[in-house]
Amino acid sequence: MPVKKIASDTLDFILESCKASHPHEFGALLEADGDIITNVIYLPGTEATNQSVSINTWMLPNMRHAGTVHSHPSGVARPSEQDLIFFQTGEINIIVGSPYKRNSWNAFDRGGNPIQVEIVDYDFPDEDDLMDDDF
Ligand SMILES: [Zn+2]
């Protein structure tokens, strides 16, 4: 199922994380529930500098993920050449530019082509819901 949506709470969390990392880059992987991105996975060993995020790519084959997210503190929400290599691991790749607002991010496919991602409401299951499951 192609992932083309993101939960609004997850997007807000990403924007907050990018803001908190500024002036350094923030980088993480995205996890999806069906066709909706709902979760952000930090990778151990991720090194954030103000130049780039270097993720231990040797860890990637063992991890299922829907895509990637990272910030551009310079404010340019366009992929660099290095980003295009990183993008090949995930279906949706989000770049958030400073000042990290709802309108300061772009999403790209594996090939670095811009894609539209819909922001949707998503009910995050909590533990009570899981225990009430009668099926
Ligand atoms: Zn980048």
Side-chain angles (χ1 to χ4, degrees):
M1 201 178 332
V3 182
K4 286 281 168 60
K5 296 173 185 161
I6 186 165
S8 62
D9 288 348
T10 305
L11 177 61
D12 287 340
F13 176 76
I14 288 169
L15 297 178
E16 283 305 313
S17 302
C18 291
K19 213 179 289 178
S21 301
H22 192 85
H24 300 288
E25 272 197 22
F26 167 80
L29 298 180
L30 301 171
E31 211 171 37
D33 176 12
D35 64 348
I36 306 173
I37 291 168
T38 56
N39 200 15
V40 175
I41 313 162
Y42 295 100
L43 290 179
T46 303
E47 275 177 54
T49 70
N50 57 2
Q51 294 300 317
S52 66
V53 170
S54 103
I55 284 179
N56 281 336
T57 43
W58 57 267
M59 297 189 62
L60 293 179
N62 294 326
M63 300 194 63
R64 286 181 50 206
H65 64 280
T68 67
V69 57
H70 74 283
S71 66
H72 281 179
S74 61
V76 183
R78 277 199 316 258
S80 66
E81 252 173 68
Q82 214 175 7
D83 290 340
L84 292 176
I85 297 167
F86 183 46
F87 282 4
Q88 289 167 16
T89 69
E91 204 177 320
I92 285 194
N93 302 283
I94 293 175
I95 296 179
V96 189
S98 160
Y100 318 114
K101 302 273 191 221
R102 276 278 179 117
N103 60 357
S104 44
W105 59 281
N106 289 315
F108 304 89
D109 67 12
R110 269 176 220 278
N113 307 300
I115 49 174
Q116 290 290 327
V117 177
E118 192 186 343
I119 302 168
V120 296
D121 286 326
Y122 174 84
D123 284 328
F124 288 86
D126 56 38
E127 289 184 21
D128 288 346
D129 287 344
L130 292 176
M131 278 159 50
D132 286 344
D133 194 350
D134 290 329
F135 295 100

